[in-house]
Every structure is written in structure tokens, then in C-alpha cells.
Amino acid sequence: MISHYRGASGSAVDLIQLQYSETDPAPMSNKSRLRRVFTTYTRRRKKHSSASKFTLTSMLKEPLRLVNSVPLNFHYNSSSSTDLGARRGVFSRRHYGSVEMLASVETDGADLFRRFRVESGERAEKDELYGSPSTPVLENPEYQTRWYFKYFLGRLHQNYAGVDGEKVPFFFSVVLTDSNTEGVQQYRAILWRKSGAQKINLSHTQGKSLTVKSILSNFKNMDKLEKAPREIFVPELQKDLLLLEEQEGSVNFKFGVLYAKVGQTVDDEMFSNECGSKNFDRFLSLLGERIRLKGWDKYRGGLDVKGDMTGKYSIYTIYEGHEVMFHVSTLLPYSKDNRQQVERKRHIGNDIVNIIFLDGNHQHHSSFKPSMIKSQFTHIFAVVTYNSEEESYKLSVYSEESVPLFGPTLPCPPVFRIFQEFRDFLLVKLINGEKAAFNTPTFAQKRERTLDMLIKDFYTEHLADNRGTMLNRRAFSDVLPEASRGSRRKEEARQVEFVRIGQALKLDTIVKGDAPTSLATTSLFKREPWEPQCFYPDFPHDIVCGDSWGENRLILAAEAGVFLLEEGTAHRQIFDKTIQAKQLNVVEAHGILLFRADKGRDSRIHVFRLSDFENQPKENGVRNKTDIRDQKLEKTKGCHLYAISRPGDSHLRMVVAVGRRLLVLQWRHSAAWTAWCASSDTDTVDGFHFIRELPVAEPAQLITLVDSPVKGGDNQICVAYKHQFDLINEKNGDTVRLHCVEGNKVHLVSAVDIYEDEEAELLLSYNHTTHFQKLSDDSSTEFDFQWNAVPNTIVCAFPYVLAFTTDTIEIRLIINGNLIHNMVMPKLTAITSKGDIFFATTDPEFFQVRQERVKVDKMDRDPSLSPPTSPHSEYFVLRYQQLKLCRQ
């Protein structure tokens, strides 16, 4: 049991870790073999009068269960941090299918060619484990993306209208709220433009209100406006803004289901099947419930619910808050005299996503081609076959080429023997597919025209109504300020009416079933995709930097010194507060600890053997400034930044920034040699050899070493300063401008190297943006995606990329930038992501962790020197532990 105590700095710290495990300890391959699954752990908490007791969670003692009660067994093999770190940056778009050109013959004999991306699940490596990127997770979930409905409606907030530098109208909404953020107050802002709603959240500091002008400046090209936007006070504007948000797409879905027999090659034959088979009926019962249309009062998906004009029955279901209506070909009206079955085609042919149930065995699966269906509107076909002997479903997906990549990827082989598992996967794939289709040029242009028209109409209407009113003098004031005394009553009445109308709109949206978070359609227990595990509670210092050491140790630097944390024991100090470490790395392949200490001209990099810190007595193991004199690299005097190469079998390289110079150093032994002759690699500062010096235009603010994916190729250095990212050849210093950042306010975040099919790429992050940059001449995959908040740290873990801010962890898909999940944690600090992902927060009470006893020896501490802490004053070291789940 752990006692909470306050450290010398007046605060305490907890750490969190995300852990990845690999069953294949072989070296990194060209394609990623990482498979992750989202699991939910349980937390038990006992309340005490003085402080809460937290314990570590054992993940390996018993099988865990997902919320749907499907048992899943863990297969866990520990692998080195070197292997994990190398694999994390590897990914492949080929998981998401390949593009093929398919032809069909029209009635006039002409060939019609359409290009489709084919996902067959057939890859070189087999997916024995059911984990991500095949884990079914909804992308851009509405309960996290529909901000105006969730955070603004029914609450007091401000709305503005203005024109940008190109004289195009826009609306701007801002609210100060702590809803669903564990007590963390944040500014949430939405910029409504014809290109779509842009969203950001900003941290709120008590007693320091942000102005609307400062919030607007965080959006691109909005820092300099010729004319200040005016606040719109009429409460009816809330309905208009809700309409703008609804243009993002419906929260409910309708999918076509077409029954086809083996040998049918044209859609007329398929639509003319009057009824289905037993296997088809079994499939329909898996999709949802059979409902009577007449009198149906829920989502109807365009079907007639009054006079049976579109059939008597249909299939309906609810999945994670989404209502889904299926347009089933055999349940829609059939006409013997109409060969084309126009009534059936009218619904199914106008659905963006179609399911094709091919009534045959799996060997007939490839006989369907999307060219058989004469529909220019349908963009995605999901082909399903059922094998009665094996009792399994097989799935393949055809997506029109313009549809952006979407998940989950099909497992290899794409055969499902657990029916509930197949249903979840299919529904998530269909929902994600329709959302992705809305971003094709066809739909995106229509949406932009609609938004442009609506915004212009609303701007004209509300600016005309707002003329002459004296209340708009509040433009560019603090968010929700106090009204003046003379108009206090009038302002209070306006606010009450404003909130009342917003609450009525919210209730009406829920009743109609159009709400992104409806209590009537949302499961009470939502499966959370990422659940952290408490690694070490109640660390008593603010963390500056740190790194993991092996499977269960951390080395952390704080203002009070450098500490060693080991799971199950008390932390101990290894350097006192005279050593102020600013950067720190554990290089296990060579058994060394690197850290940059001090600042200005006194700053240097120090090198120690990790063996120096094992089994040290507490009273004699703390080093001071005098003890480290012989461990510093004199060549690095005055350095302000450094970076090391990725772990691997080549030589460890380090690039050190000293003013406008880059120093390239290399460890004398390769990792392979050290592994073979570990006892001979005992060097510290003598182990590094100076290679060369490279000049740079400005002092580097970021450094990333980009290893050549080809053996013998030139390694590169990505350097960022001011408004640009450059790529420097490590051998000859040749410099290439990678990316320029526009704007007056530029906050450089990181440059993360990733690798796909023997090609290096970079994720360049700055402000709210991550830019996907290829290093080859082919720049076709360059794209940007936006974070909701400015990140402090970016971590890539295919197929996901995680952004750590001061109080949130935002998780997106790397292949399209779609939001997967967002977690809010107060005073969040990312520590390391070399192996497992460790981070710290001050309030882990909401984490679902199992309560167990933790053996921590603190009995020798004088309680009078460490009084009990107040709530939320300790940092908890947490860890994301990703484990593979075996398919049943």
C-alpha cells in the first residue's frame, strides 16, 4: 500500500505507460507486424479520509474481457525496447488495398472503366492475431467531433460574424467549459467557413482570460483581419450554427444489401431475385432486427412508414449510438413485369455503400466485380460470402479510387468464424467507409457549395438584424465577461433566454434521433480504445525529461535531481539537484546513459554506464556535480540540443547542436559487436568519436536523425528552425528545404521519422498541424491534418499517431488523420516512447486500473518531513500497455 507524500518541490508526480508486445522477435520487416487491440481494464478504488490508495495492475495473470463479454486470451512475449522502437515507425498503406481498373460493358457495347481500390486481405504475412490496424474502431466519432452540439448548445457562449482577408464571410464560436474534461477548464473554439468547421481547444489559466482576438489568431490566416468580427446576440443563431454542423454528415446511416446468386453478372439479374436463401436470412438476422415499417417511429432511412410503399419489413439496428437502416433487395417491392426492378434500384442504387451477399462458397468470392452494378452514386461495395461447412463469413471491400483510405483493414485471411466479431467489423467498416466517401471531390464540392450559401445567407441575415444595437460593443472582449452594472439585468435576461433556446434545440435534436450523443441510442458502457495502466504512483517532483530502461525501469530528471524508478520498489535518487538534466536517453544496446545538463556555455553531454546505477545503496548512490566531471564530452561544450539515431545493428550516432553548428559523433562499436562482446564495451566518453561538423543557418530548434532505409545509403538530419524544416546530408552537408511554415506565430513541435516499404518519410508537426512529408521526388502522399490542440509531443505507433498536449492525448489514424479518441488528463507530461509509452498526470482517479498491493519501502521516511498531500497534487506515472489478443 502506498502512502502519498509531498516532495521538496511541493508537488508529487505519477507516471503512465503504454506497452507494446511482439510475438515475433525477428528484426524489422518492410511491413508492419504490429497488432494492437483496444481493451478496457477495471479499476477498484477504496476511499480513505487522508488519501486514495492506488496500486499497479497486473496484465498477465488472467484473461481480460471486452465490454461485450467476449473472452480474449493474451499472448505475451517480451521483446527488447530496441526492437519495439524500430518497429513503431514502420507502416504500410498496402494494408488498405491496391487500386485496379475494372471494365464493364454498357448497353450500347461501349466499355466503361472505373478504378477501384480492392481490399482482399491477402498479404504476404498472415494475421494470426486480431489487433489493429484490423481492430474495428469508429473514425471521427460524432460524440467527439460534433462540438457545437456537445459543448455549446445549452451553455452560455459567444458567437461572432466577420469577413476574412479575401472578403469571405465566416462565423466564430467560443466557449469556456470544463464539461467532460475531468475538471480541466478549456477554451473551445469553432471557426465556421465554407471549407468546413475548424476546431481548436486552448488551456485556460485561472485569472488570465484569453481575448477572442488571441483565440482567432490560432487559426490559419486569421491573425490579421482588416475589420474586427462583431458579436451576434440573437439566440436564434444557435439553430443556424447547428445546421452548419449537421452538414458534416448524418449521424445515422442507410446501407444497401443486394442478394446475388453465383453466375449472375449484371445487376438486373441480382435485383430480380424475388427472395433470398436461408444463409441470406441468417446474415440479415446478424445485421439487425426485422422491423415492421408501417408506423415505424425511429430512423427510417428514406423508406415509407405510412402505406407500405417500400415494402412491409426492413432490417434495422443501432451500433454505438448510430441508427442504421438497411435497404434489403428482397424486402423492397418486387415487380414481375419490371425487369430492371426500378423500385429496388431507386433505394439501393442511391446508397453510398452497398453490401453484396453472394450466395456461394468462399471460392466464388472473387467472381463479383463492382462493374456489374450500374450506379455512379455507389462508391463502396462490401462483398460477403458464407461457407456452410466451415460456418464462416468472408469479406472483401471495393472502394472507388477517389474515396480516401479508411479502416479497419481486413485481417489476413479475411475469414470470420465468430459471427458477433464479424458483425462489429462489418458495421464499423461500412460506417467509416461512408464517412470517407463524403470527402471525395464529388461530395466535398457539393458540401462546400452548400456551406458557402448558408454562411452567406446567415451573415446577411444576422448582420442586418444586428445593426443599430449597442450590445455589439463587446466584440474582441474577454470571453464571457461580466456585464456593466447599468445593463446587468438586461444582460442576465438575455443570457437566460439564450441558454433556454439552446437547451430546447438540443432536446429537440435528441428526440428526433439526430443527436451525436443520444441517451436513447447510445450504449451505457462505451468501449474505450485506450486505457492506461498505472506504473508508479505519487512521484514527488515535476518531470523535465526521462527514458525507459528495460521492461520495468525509468530514469527521470527533475529540478530536484535525477531518479531511478523501478516497478514495485520506491524511487531512488542517483544524481542530486546540482545536476539539472534537460535531455536524457538510455541506450541499452551499449549499456550507457546520456544526458545534457546545465545551460549556456556550461552545458555539456555526459556519458555513464548503466551498470553504475544497478543495486546502488541508497546512502552512497547519489552523485553530485563533482562526481560527473570526468563523464562529460568536452567537444559538446555550449550545446543546446542533441539527438541520437534509432536503435539497430549499425553504429550509434549522435548529432549535437552548438549554436549554428551541428557536431556529428559516432559510437566506436556497432550494436551487433556489443551484443556479441558485451563485456568488452565498457567505454563512456571515450566511446564517442567526432566525425564532422556541419554549419546551419540558424540555431536548431529541433533535430531528428533519418536513417537510410537502404544499407549503405546516406543518412540525413532533419533540422527545424524559425519557419522551416531542412534536410541535411550527414556526410557532405548538402541542404534541401523540406517545408516552410507560414504565419507570424510558429510553434515547432517535432519531426518524426517513419518508414514505408524501404522509404523514409517524416511527420513534421507545428502549431495545430502535422504535415506528412515524403523525402523522395514523388510527393503524392503529402498531406496535412489538424490537431484540436497544440501538441507538445508526437508519437507514431502504426496505424496511429498520438499527440500529447498539456492536458489531452489525441489519437488519430496516420493514413488519413481521422480522429480515433481523445483523453483529457490534467498537467499531462509525455516522458518517453522508445518502448512502451510513458507519461505523467496529476489525477489518475478516472483510470480504470485494478487495485493491487504495491510493495514500496517507505517505512524509513520520516513522516514529519513529508506531510500528506492534498488532492490532485501528486503526479502518477502511467503507461500505455498494448497487448496482442488472440482470436477465438
Side-chain angles (χ1 to χ4, degrees):
M1 193 168 294
I2 301 175
S3 300
H4 287 187
Y5 63 92
R6 189 183 304 275
S9 63
S11 63
V13 186
D14 266 330
L15 310 176
I16 303 178
Q17 169 188 7
L18 293 90
Q19 180 170 346
Y20 302 88
S21 68
E22 296 291 335
T23 57
D24 182 5
M28 177 184 65
S29 63
N30 291 340
K31 294 184 179 180
S32 171
R33 297 181 184 177
L34 291 181
R35 299 291 180 265
R36 300 173 179 82
V37 69
F38 300 149
T39 55
T40 302
Y41 310 116
T42 57
R43 171 182 61 86
R44 297 171 185 162
R45 179 172 176 262
K46 294 182 180 179
K47 295 184 178 179
H48 297 269
S49 57
S50 59
S52 301
K53 308 298 191 285
F54 290 91
T55 57
L56 299 181
T57 302
S58 174
M59 309 293 295
L60 308 174
K61 290 185 177 180
E62 57 179 338
L64 300 183
R65 294 177 181 269
L66 293 177
V67 292
N68 58 7
S69 298
V70 178
L72 298 163
N73 295 325
F74 287 107
H75 281 221
Y76 178 87
N77 282 336
S78 63
S79 59
S80 68
S81 296
T82 298
D83 187 45
L84 292 170
R87 287 167 180 260
R88 175 168 308 127
V90 180
F91 75 106
S92 178
R93 294 182 183 85
R94 284 188 280 182
H95 284 81
Y96 297 86
S98 59
V99 176
E100 300 179 10
M101 181 174 290
L102 305 174
S104 63
V105 179
E106 295 296 279
T107 55
D108 58 1
D111 289 341
L112 174 66
F113 291 94
R114 295 181 67 187
R115 293 172 61 88
F116 281 85
R117 186 172 61 253
V118 182
E119 294 183 67
S120 62
E122 301 298 333
R123 295 189 290 273
E125 72 273 13
K126 299 295 183 181
D127 287 341
E128 298 179 357
L129 300 175
Y130 186 62
S132 63
S134 296
T135 303
V137 180
L138 290 176
E139 300 173 17
N140 288 331
E142 282 77 8
Y143 67 91
Q144 289 195 5
T145 59
R146 300 293 180 90
W147 278 19
Y148 195 74
F149 176 87
K150 183 175 183 179
Y151 298 111
F152 288 74
L153 274 187
R155 296 183 178 90
L156 197 60
H157 62 276
Q158 287 178 272
N159 297 311
Y160 291 82
V163 293
D164 60 19
E166 299 179 355
K167 308 301 182 183
V168 178
F170 68 85
F171 284 90
F172 178 67
S173 303
V174 61
V175 65
L176 178 60
T177 178
D178 60 357
S179 61
N180 199 33
T181 59
E182 307 298 338
V184 178
Q185 282 199 320
Q186 296 176 326
Y187 291 103
R188 294 185 182 270
I190 306 176
L191 180 61
W192 309 92
R193 312 181 82 167
K194 67 177 183 179
S195 57
Q198 302 173 30
K199 313 177 189 73
I200 62 169
N201 60 35
L202 302 170
S203 298
H204 171 257
T205 303
Q206 194 69 29
K208 295 183 180 180
S209 298
L210 294 179
T211 65
V212 174
K213 182 177 181 179
S214 64
I215 297 175
L216 258 179
S217 65
N218 288 276
F219 293 94
K220 187 176 181 180
N221 299 327
M222 297 297 291
D223 52 345
K224 289 184 178 180
L225 298 176
E226 293 183 4
K227 190 176 180 181
R230 303 173 66 181
E231 185 174 1
I232 308 298
F233 290 90
V234 291
E236 290 75 19
L237 177 62
Q238 297 175 90
K239 184 176 182 180
D240 297 335
L241 297 179
L242 183 62
L243 179 61
L244 293 180
E245 186 171 70
E246 290 173 352
Q247 302 309 307
E248 296 179 11
S250 173
V251 298
N252 302 319
F253 298 88
K254 54 187 181 72
F255 302 130
V257 183
L258 179 59
Y259 174 74
K261 297 178 180 179
V262 174
Q264 293 181 338
T265 58
V266 295
D267 57 359
D268 287 350
E269 296 174 345
M270 302 175 190
F271 281 106
S272 296
N273 292 320
E274 185 174 0
C275 58
S277 62
K278 291 183 178 179
N279 288 340
F280 183 59
D281 291 339
R282 185 182 294 110
F283 174 67
L284 293 181
S285 64
L286 179 64
L287 288 180
E289 61 175 315
R290 185 184 177 98
I291 56 102
R292 182 73 170 89
L293 284 174
K294 191 172 184 178
W296 180 252
D297 60 353
K298 296 183 177 64
Y299 176 67
R300 61 188 185 93
L303 298 178
D304 178 55
V305 294
K306 294 181 179 180
D308 293 336
M309 299 296 291
T310 56
K312 293 183 177 181
Y313 300 95
S314 190
I315 303 298
Y316 167 89
T317 192
I318 300 175
Y319 186 80
E320 294 196 3
H322 299 285
E323 295 184 79
V324 181
M325 181 66 77
F326 295 94
H327 295 159
V328 183
S329 61
T330 57
L331 297 180
L332 290 167
Y334 171 78
S335 174
K336 294 181 180 180
D337 300 328
N338 189 337
R339 177 174 169 271
Q340 294 188 349
Q341 303 298 327
V342 176
E343 185 62 29
R344 291 180 170 183
K345 286 185 178 180
R346 184 169 69 89
H347 291 282
I348 297 178
N350 285 311
D351 289 332
I352 296 175
V353 179
N354 280 181
I355 301 173
I356 310 298
F357 184 88
L358 186 57
D359 199 3
N361 292 324
H362 293 340
Q363 61 264 30
H364 302 119
H365 196 89
S366 60
S367 62
F368 173 84
K369 302 296 180 185
S371 54
M372 298 175 180
I373 308 298
K374 297 183 180 65
S375 171
Q376 296 296 316
F377 192 81
T378 303
H379 284 61
I380 299 170
F381 297 92
V383 183
V384 176
T385 55
Y386 178 74
N387 189 318
S388 302
E389 296 180 358
E390 298 180 0
E391 294 187 348
S392 64
Y393 286 98
K394 185 175 182 179
L395 176 66
S396 62
V397 179
Y398 295 82
S399 304
E400 206 275 337
E401 183 185 21
S402 62
V403 178
L405 300 178
F406 62 93
T409 64
L410 268 64
C412 180
V415 177
F416 299 81
R417 292 178 173 83
I418 301 177
F419 294 168
Q420 185 62 38
E421 186 178 276
F422 172 63
R423 177 183 184 271
D424 291 345
F425 186 96
L426 179 61
L427 289 177
V428 170
K429 187 69 174 177
L430 299 182
I431 291 173
N432 288 344
E434 180 159 321
K435 290 180 180 180
F438 276 113
N439 291 317
T440 60
T442 301
F443 292 105
Q445 291 169 7
K446 292 180 180 179
R447 180 172 62 250
E448 184 168 325
R449 287 196 299 267
T450 301
L451 287 172
D452 187 33
M453 178 191 66
L454 291 174
I455 290 175
K456 287 179 179 178
D457 289 347
F458 297 157
Y459 180 84
T460 302
E461 174 187 351
H462 292 293
L463 263 293
D465 293 343
N466 213 36
R467 290 172 185 167
T469 177
M470 298 301 294
L471 288 175
N472 59 20
R473 295 293 182 266
R474 221 171 44 155
F476 280 119
S477 61
D478 286 347
V479 176
L480 301 181
E482 292 292 333
S484 60
R485 294 182 179 180
S487 60
R488 186 179 300 276
R489 290 185 178 179
K490 187 176 182 179
E491 176 68 7
E492 288 178 352
R494 184 196 69 83
Q495 292 179 1
V496 170
E497 180 66 7
F498 186 91
V499 172
R500 185 192 67 80
I501 290 180
Q503 291 174 341
L505 282 170
K506 196 166 193 173
L507 179 60
D508 183 60
T509 305
I510 293 174
V511 171
K512 290 190 301 183
D514 295 331
T517 52
S518 171
L519 296 178
T521 61
T522 301
S523 173
L524 185 60
F525 298 100
K526 174 69 175 65
R527 183 175 62 215
E528 296 292 350
W530 299 81
E531 290 294 344
Q533 173 191 3
C534 186
F535 174 78
Y536 191 90
D538 136 41
F539 183 72
H541 307 287
D542 293 337
I543 298 171
V544 176
C545 57
D547 201 1
S548 57
W549 178 9
E551 299 294 331
N552 61 351
R553 283 182 286 192
L554 285 176
I555 296 181
L556 301 178
E559 291 185 2
V562 182
F563 299 84
L564 175 63
L565 273 68
E566 186 166 358
E567 195 170 17
T569 63
H571 64 272
R572 60 184 172 88
Q573 193 165 7
I574 56 179
F575 295 99
D576 66 12
K577 63 181 180 180
T578 62
I579 289 88
Q580 296 290 305
K582 307 301 181 183
Q583 282 182 271
L584 185 150
N585 288 97
V586 174
V587 186
E588 297 174 58
H590 299 287
I592 58 175
L593 168 68
L594 305 174
F595 63 84
R596 177 174 61 86
D598 297 325
K599 59 183 178 180
R601 294 182 57 84
D602 296 329
S603 178
R604 289 176 178 82
I605 293 175
H606 298 76
V607 187
F608 280 85
R609 302 300 307 180
L610 289 174
S611 57
D612 295 341
F613 309 109
E614 295 192 86
N615 304 318
Q616 283 186 340
K618 292 183 180 179
E619 60 275 10
N620 299 323
V622 182
R623 292 169 169 79
N624 57 33
K625 207 162 189 176
T626 305
D627 300 324
I628 69 172
R629 288 177 179 175
D630 297 333
Q631 310 300 127
K632 58 188 177 184
L633 282 166
E634 284 297 339
K635 193 74 177 178
T636 64
K637 181 180 180 181
C639 63
H640 64 274
L641 190 65
Y642 79 90
I644 62 173
S645 59
R646 281 180 177 269
D649 56 1
S650 60
H651 288 76
L652 170 69
R653 307 188 323 281
M654 177 168 60
V655 174
V656 183
V658 183
R660 298 186 180 185
R661 298 178 295 140
L662 297 181
L663 309 180
V664 182
L665 298 92
Q666 181 173 290
W667 191 255
R668 69 166 66 184
H669 303 300
S670 68
W673 187 91
T674 301
W676 186 259
C677 308
S679 60
S680 300
D681 192 355
T682 58
D683 295 325
T684 54
V685 292
D686 296 334
F688 278 104
H689 288 179
F690 174 74
I691 304 298
R692 63 182 58 87
E693 178 179 310
L694 302 173
V696 289
E698 299 288 342
Q701 298 181 34
L702 294 173
I703 304 176
T704 298
L705 275 63
V706 184
D707 296 336
S708 172
V710 181
K711 189 173 183 179
D714 289 348
N715 297 316
Q716 309 283 337
I717 307 171
C718 180
V719 181
Y721 32 74
K722 288 190 175 179
H723 292 72
Q724 67 192 54
F725 291 85
D726 287 352
L727 195 65
I728 302 176
N729 188 296
E730 194 174 301
K731 288 185 177 180
N732 55 34
D734 290 346
T735 303
V736 177
R737 181 69 50 81
L738 272 183
H739 185 67
C740 291
V741 183
E742 298 178 355
N744 296 325
K745 297 172 59 177
V746 178
H747 173 68
L748 300 175
V749 178
S750 66
V752 179
D753 56 323
I754 56 179
Y755 300 85
E756 179 187 15
D757 303 328
E758 297 187 353
E759 183 178 353
E761 306 180 35
L762 283 167
L763 291 180
L764 308 178
S765 300
Y766 53 90
N767 297 346
H768 292 81
T769 302
T770 286
H771 174 75
F772 206 114
Q773 175 75 50
K774 288 181 70 71
L775 303 187
S776 66
D777 295 335
D778 179 15
S779 59
S780 59
T781 60
E782 291 186 14
F783 69 93
D784 296 350
F785 57 83
Q786 305 296 317
W787 301 100
N788 290 333
V790 177
N792 296 323
T793 305
I794 298 291
V795 175
C796 179
F798 179 73
Y800 308 106
V801 57
L802 295 80
F804 289 80
T805 74
T806 55
D807 47 30
T808 61
I809 299 177
E810 195 172 332
I811 306 170
R812 293 182 179 270
L813 275 182
I814 193 172
I815 49 99
N816 55 22
N818 286 346
L819 179 67
I820 295 297
H821 193 62
N822 189 73
M823 301 175 65
V824 178
M825 305 177 190
K827 296 184 179 180
L828 181 66
T829 303
I831 300 172
T832 180
S833 58
K834 180 180 66 180
D836 300 344
I837 302 176
F838 290 83
F839 54 98
T841 184
T842 56
D843 184 12
E845 296 182 8
F846 50 91
F847 293 119
Q848 298 181 2
V849 294
R850 297 175 185 269
Q851 185 170 2
E852 297 177 359
R853 295 183 61 85
V854 184
K855 298 178 181 179
V856 179
D857 181 16
K858 293 184 179 176
M859 298 304 295
D860 57 344
R861 178 177 293 274
D862 186 351
S864 63
L865 301 178
S866 302
T869 58
S870 59
H872 311 308
S873 63
E874 299 88 7
Y875 285 90
F876 287 76
V877 178
L878 300 170
R879 129 192 186 177
Y880 269 130
Q881 188 174 38
Q882 306 293 351
L883 298 177
K884 293 184 175 181
L885 300 189
C886 210
R887 295 181 69 180
Q888 298 295 310

